[in-house]
Structure formats: C-alpha cells, structure tokens
C-alpha cells in the first residue's frame, strides 16, 4: 500500500512542502503499525469519503492563510484521493488520526 500526503499551497508565505510517502511494502514498519494504519483507513471510511472535504465558509469567512493538502491511498484494489485544508470539516476522528500518523512518518 502506498500513501502520499502533499502540502498543496497556502500559508502566509505560500509555502509548499515535500510530499510524505508511506509505502508499507518498502518501508520498515512493524506489523502493529501496519495494522493500526489499516484500522485508521477502515474506520475513517477513507475510500467512501468525497474527493474534496468542504469548509464552513461562514465560520471561516476571509480565511486565506490556510494550508491545503491532498492525500492519496493506493492499496492495489483501490486508489482514492481527498483534498482538504486546515479549515475543512473533518469527517471523523479516525481521519484526523490517519493524517497525524502519516505526518509522524516523516520525522
């Protein structure tokens, strides 16, 4: 399985970040980490989520200094990408935990 998290654009300086790539076939991850990752994907209903997560425009009116991300998961059976931002309505805790887990892999 391959997961890519890209920082698209935004922020005060319009910064772009290097993508974080998690490849469970080529990365040294423990069985526990792989099981946890799979549970986050399943519990977040990742492959059923829309390709773009909306924001609450009324709540964040005038917000221009936020980051936009794109996460793609390819697990050999399915391939799905979701675009979201710092101010998106995150669908569930498992999705937030999935993003946090992926970000920790770059440390």
């Amino acid at each position: 399985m391959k997961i890519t998290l890209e920082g698209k654009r935004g922020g005060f300086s319009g910064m772009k970040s290097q993508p974080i790539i998690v490849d469970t076939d080529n990365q040294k991850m423990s069985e526990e980490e792989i099981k946890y990752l799979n549970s986050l994907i399943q519990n977040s209903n990742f492959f059923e989520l829309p390709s773009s997560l909306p924001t609450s425009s009324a709540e964040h009116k005038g917000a221009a200094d936020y980051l936009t991300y794109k996460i793609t998961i390819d697990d050999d059976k399915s391939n799905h990408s979701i675009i979201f931002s710092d101010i998106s309505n995150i669908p569930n805790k498992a999705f937030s935990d999935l993003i946090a887990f992926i970000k920790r892999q770059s440390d």
Side-chain angles (χ1 to χ4, degrees):
M1 174 174 39
K2 183 176 178 181
I3 303 171
T4 306
L5 179 65
E6 302 172 71
K8 299 288 281 180
R9 60 185 172 276
F12 179 72
S13 64
M15 66 184 195
K16 294 181 182 180
S17 61
Q18 293 288 352
I20 300 168
I21 299 172
V22 175
D23 188 342
T24 59
D25 296 329
N26 297 320
Q27 221 163 330
K28 293 180 180 176
M29 295 178 74
S30 70
E31 281 295 317
E32 282 183 22
E33 288 176 311
I34 292 171
K35 284 180 185 178
Y36 179 65
L37 178 59
N38 284 324
S39 73
L40 292 175
I41 293 167
Q42 181 177 3
N43 293 336
S44 70
N45 298 311
F46 183 86
F47 290 102
E48 287 79 38
L49 292 173
S51 60
S52 181
L53 298 180
T55 61
S56 172
S57 58
E59 184 179 331
H60 300 287
K61 187 176 181 179
D65 204 21
Y66 56 87
L67 298 176
T68 301
Y69 301 92
K70 179 180 178 184
I71 180 172
T72 302
I73 298 180
D74 183 355
D75 73 353
D76 296 328
K77 294 179 278 183
S78 301
N79 181 299
H80 185 55
S81 296
I82 299 174
I83 295 173
F84 65 99
S85 72
D86 291 339
I87 61 171
S88 288
N89 295 323
I90 301 302
N92 54 57
K93 183 175 180 339
F95 186 86
S96 296
D97 292 346
L98 173 63
I99 301 305
F101 178 87
I102 295 165
K103 286 181 176 180
R104 283 194 304 270
Q105 300 310 301
S106 71
D107 294 341

